[in-house]
Amino acid sequence: MSSSSNSRCAACKQLRRRCPSDCILLPYFPPTDPQRFSYVHRIFGASNVAKMLQKVEEHHRGDVAESLYYEAHCRIQDPVYGCVGIITILHEQIYNFQCQLAKVEAEIQAAKAQQQGRLQPQFP
C-alpha cells in the first residue's frame, strides 16, 4: 500500500500522519468510514487501539475492532453505561418474556387438565 493520501486508513488520516504499508489499523478502519475510527479514538485512543489489536491473533482482530467500535458507539450515546445499559435492557426483556412464556405454558397445562377431566368417562 502506498502512502498517498488516498490510501491512508481513517486513523492515519484523522491523526494526520503517513500510513505505513503495514498499518495495523488499515484493515479495520478503512478511509471510507472515518466515523468508525473517530468513535473508537475518542473513547480508547489510537495508541491503545493499536496495542489491543497487536495483542490478539490476526484472525481475531476484526472481532476486536468491531467490539471496540460497538462499545465506543454505545459509550458516546450513553456515557455512563455504554453497552452495559443495552445489555441490562435486553436481560430485562428476556426475563419478562420468560415470565410471559411460563404463564402461557401454565394456562395451556390448566386447559389440558380441564379438557382431560371432561373427556374421562363417568362411572356410576
Side-chain angles (χ1 to χ4, degrees), residues 113-123:
Q114 186 178 20
Q115 186 68 23
Q116 285 286 336
R118 288 185 191 161
L119 296 178
Q120 291 181 353
Q122 301 294 327
F123 294 106

Side-chain angles (χ1 to χ4, degrees), residues 7-35:
S7 61
R8 289 186 301 168
C9 68
C12 292
K13 276 187 175 184
Q14 182 171 333
L15 300 172
R16 294 187 173 107
R17 65 182 185 197
R18 189 178 75 70
C19 191
S21 60
D22 63 345
C23 180
I24 195 164
L25 301 172
L26 179 60
Y28 316 107
F29 302 101
T32 56
D33 192 358
Q35 188 68 51

